[in-house]
Amino acid sequence: MVSLQHRLQAEGLWDLFYTIELPLITILAAMENCSIVINQEELKRTSVLLGIHLKELEKEAQHAAGQKFRLTSNNELRTILFEKFHLHLKCKNKLPQTNLGHLLSTAEPALNQLKDLHPLPGIVLQFRQIQKIKSTFVDGLLTYVNKGCVSPTWNQTGTVSGRLSAKHPNIQGVSKFSLQFEKKQHLQGKTDETITINPRSMFVSSKDHSFLAADFSQIELRLLAHFSADPALLELFHETARTDVFTNLAAQWKATAYENITQADREQAKRVVYSVIYGIGKERLAECLGTTPAEANTFLERFLQKYRVSDFTQKVIQECDIKGFVISLMGRKRPLPHINSRNYGLRAQAERQAVNFVIQGSAADLCKLAMIKISASLTSSFHITARLIAQIHDELLFEVQDSQLQEFAELVKHIMESLQHADGIDLKVPLKVTLSSGKSWGSMTELQVQ
């Protein structure tokens, strides 16, 4: 029987296994032994508040519908939206349909198209958002609390991109965005109270400790610039001025001054970039931008005319077409058997997956390498006692003694940014790491280091 080492060597995967995946096992084991403190009282209070608000939204929805119905029943909602109110006939764009049965969809993209035509779709969207937060990140989180703490389980082979995944609880899925809603006051003369809930605020640091988050800034755009070698994109990351990358990108793209770029322009540029990376297509991009598919396509074409990233995407697809697989920065491999399919849908999906993997797989490589190098540095340190407790996409989350915070933050930033030229890596763009710290995961503030 051929040994695992020989099989990995034959596939060109031994170095990746030996230098990244193997050392990562002990790091993940240590992370699973780390407990993250949970504010149980706040969690229970939040559950009650969300439950009350869900009941209020249910009443609002039934008032808007003019009848009682179950908000969790897609069939009942479909009947009201399309048979009672005929909203599909008032909608300018064609509404998506369900995969089975080809019925008009009541999913989020459809409700977003309908919410300006009638109050009901917007209320249902709010209800679903709050219901998901309550069931998954509040009540769901409570089920995993043991002695006031949680310890997620980490899987290093659970995603095709090479990224880590977490469960029990899925800490990576906890939203960083706060949720705001009005708590209605039923006593005369009392004004409604604004309630703000941040699911991450339930995670708190131990006594005399703080959380430290280290995030690879714009890592996917930087990798796109590296792989495409487009001069205009590369230039974005070599400017010495402290300017925002996506604002710079929007200014370049729109051929206007940096000062003239609005937040909407910046967001537009950011979403167009990720549509290139993820290959989401003009329909999905239109949903993200709130425009028509034709307008979204125009934005995309203008971007591709300005930057030569299409040369990179075509090269990736052509190489995958020949080899049947694609590889990441550090040699991670993803086979894509449908790349030569005669079925256009399957082939197009494989092409999108090929480009996406090169970028996301490379980002995963860098994050895992950062975990290994920082952990090695901690092991050799005589006094720093920080511990890595989570990895969320392109961000590493540590718990560190308050007295060691500044010193450790400097060490983390140096190690992560030095990966630009490390272990055979030679990126054409610098890596930038932003740091933030706080006593709870939901109240992190930017931390400046030398």
Side-chain angles (χ1 to χ4, degrees), residues 11 95 139 201 243 246 275 280 309 336 362 384 405 436:
E11 291 288 338
L95 290 174
D139 297 344
S201 65
T243 52
F246 282 108
S275 76
I280 61 176
V309 294
L336 290 163
S362 298
I384 297 180
L405 180 62
S436 58

Side-chain angles (χ1 to χ4, degrees), residues 173-189:
V174 181
S175 175
K176 64 181 178 182
F177 299 108
S178 295
L179 171 70
Q180 278 194 340
F181 59 87
E182 298 295 323
K183 181 183 178 184
K184 297 190 181 301
Q185 302 292 338
H186 299 289
L187 294 175
Q188 191 172 2

Side-chain angles (χ1 to χ4, degrees), residues 426-438:
D426 189 22
L427 295 178
K428 299 181 180 71
V429 294
L431 294 172
K432 182 183 177 184
V433 171
T434 56
L435 302 168
S436 58
S437 63

Side-chain angles (χ1 to χ4, degrees), residues 235-249:
E235 184 186 350
L236 281 175
F237 299 107
H238 289 288
E239 293 178 356
T240 54
R242 286 193 167 187
T243 52
D244 177 74
V245 169
F246 282 108
T247 305
N248 261 327
L249 180 69

Side-chain angles (χ1 to χ4, degrees), residues 125-171:
L125 284 170
Q126 287 183 58
F127 181 88
R128 288 179 180 175
Q129 179 193 24
I130 292 172
Q131 187 184 49
K132 180 179 179 182
I133 290 173
K134 184 178 187 299
S135 63
T136 306
F137 303 123
V138 179
D139 297 344
L141 185 59
L142 273 168
T143 64
Y144 299 114
V145 176
N146 182 22
K147 296 180 181 177
C149 300
V150 293
S151 299
T153 300
W154 295 92
N155 186 349
Q156 69 187 105
T157 59
T159 68
V160 292
S161 66
R163 290 187 184 274
L164 298 174
S165 61
K167 61 181 181 179
H168 308 319
N170 176 17
I171 191 172

Side-chain angles (χ1 to χ4, degrees), residues 165-323:
S165 61
K167 61 181 181 179
H168 308 319
N170 176 17
I171 191 172
Q172 294 174 320
V174 181
S175 175
K176 64 181 178 182
F177 299 108
S178 295
L179 171 70
Q180 278 194 340
F181 59 87
E182 298 295 323
K183 181 183 178 184
K184 297 190 181 301
Q185 302 292 338
H186 299 289
L187 294 175
Q188 191 172 2
K190 289 235 177 186
T191 56
D192 292 348
E193 180 187 356
T194 301
I195 303 293
T196 302
I197 290 171
N198 186 324
R200 291 189 174 187
S201 65
M202 314 301 168
F203 297 80
V204 294
S205 57
S206 307
K207 185 181 178 182
D208 299 325
H209 286 69
S210 293
F211 289 138
L212 174 72
D215 181 38
F216 276 121
S217 297
Q218 307 104 16
I219 185 66
E220 290 167 335
L221 180 57
R222 289 172 190 269
L223 286 167
L224 181 63
H226 166 75
F227 285 116
S228 68
D230 177 73
L233 276 182
L234 292 173
E235 184 186 350
L236 281 175
F237 299 107
H238 289 288
E239 293 178 356
T240 54
R242 286 193 167 187
T243 52
D244 177 74
V245 169
F246 282 108
T247 305
N248 261 327
L249 180 69
Q252 276 191 0
W253 176 35
K254 292 178 178 290
T256 188
Y258 181 93
E259 298 76 21
N260 296 337
I261 295 299
T262 64
Q263 185 62 31
D265 293 331
R266 181 190 183 277
E267 192 62 28
Q268 194 179 76
K270 189 175 181 179
R271 289 179 175 180
V272 169
V273 166
Y274 288 119
S275 76
V276 173
I277 294 172
Y278 300 134
I280 61 176
K282 61 183 180 182
E283 286 80 12
R284 178 73 189 280
L285 178 58
E287 289 174 19
C288 294
L289 296 173
T291 63
T292 66
E295 287 174 318
N297 195 49
T298 300
F299 292 143
L300 194 53
E301 287 179 353
R302 278 176 53 205
F303 182 85
L304 293 174
Q305 286 170 2
K306 174 71 179 175
Y307 305 104
R308 292 195 326 227
V309 294
S310 55
D311 293 347
F312 154 68
T313 58
Q314 288 305 311
K315 182 181 177 183
V316 169
I317 291 166
Q318 287 168 5
E319 288 184 358
C320 185
D321 192 55
I322 295 167
K323 299 176 181 177

